[in-house]
Amino acid sequence: MELIRPPEGVSNWLVRGGENKARKADVVSELGVYGVMLFSENGKAGAAQTRPVNREAGTLLRTKGRESDEGGVAIGISSIDSPLLV
């Protein structure tokens, strides 16, 4: 695998746990797309056919400082974010 280098100069205001003020930092956002897939294997003759389900079920956008190699929201390295489509 090759390291993906995020673009430089993309910044936002971050507030870390335990700090009482925001700081401006270069950030990178990661978009996760979740899906659901349900299917049935009917090997019996005459069995009712079921319609498979394969669809998008949601998204999660997390943003973290560019210098961070970790990405955990639960451990306080990144935060849940909302995309702004322009």
Side-chain angles (χ1 to χ4, degrees):
M1 291 176 63
E2 186 177 333
L3 177 65
I4 298 173
R5 302 207 182 272
E8 294 184 22
V10 177
S11 61
N12 204 346
W13 292 94
L14 300 175
V15 178
R16 294 189 185 248
E19 295 181 2
N20 60 359
K21 63 179 185 175
R23 64 178 178 90
K24 193 167 187 177
D26 284 348
V27 296
V28 62
S29 295
E30 299 171 351
L31 177 65
V33 179
Y34 296 92
V36 61
M37 183 174 203
L38 302 173
F39 56 93
S40 175
E41 184 177 329
N42 292 329
K44 299 178 183 176
Q49 294 293 322
T50 59
R51 186 174 195 174
V53 175
N54 183 9
R55 62 183 165 93
E56 180 266 332
T59 59
L60 173 71
L61 183 69
R62 59 185 179 182
T63 300
K64 63 181 182 175
R66 188 175 193 275
E67 72 283 352
S68 176
D69 290 335
E70 301 295 326
V73 172
I75 59 174
I77 294 174
S78 64
S79 61
I80 304 290
D81 207 345
S82 299
L84 173 64
L85 302 176
V86 290

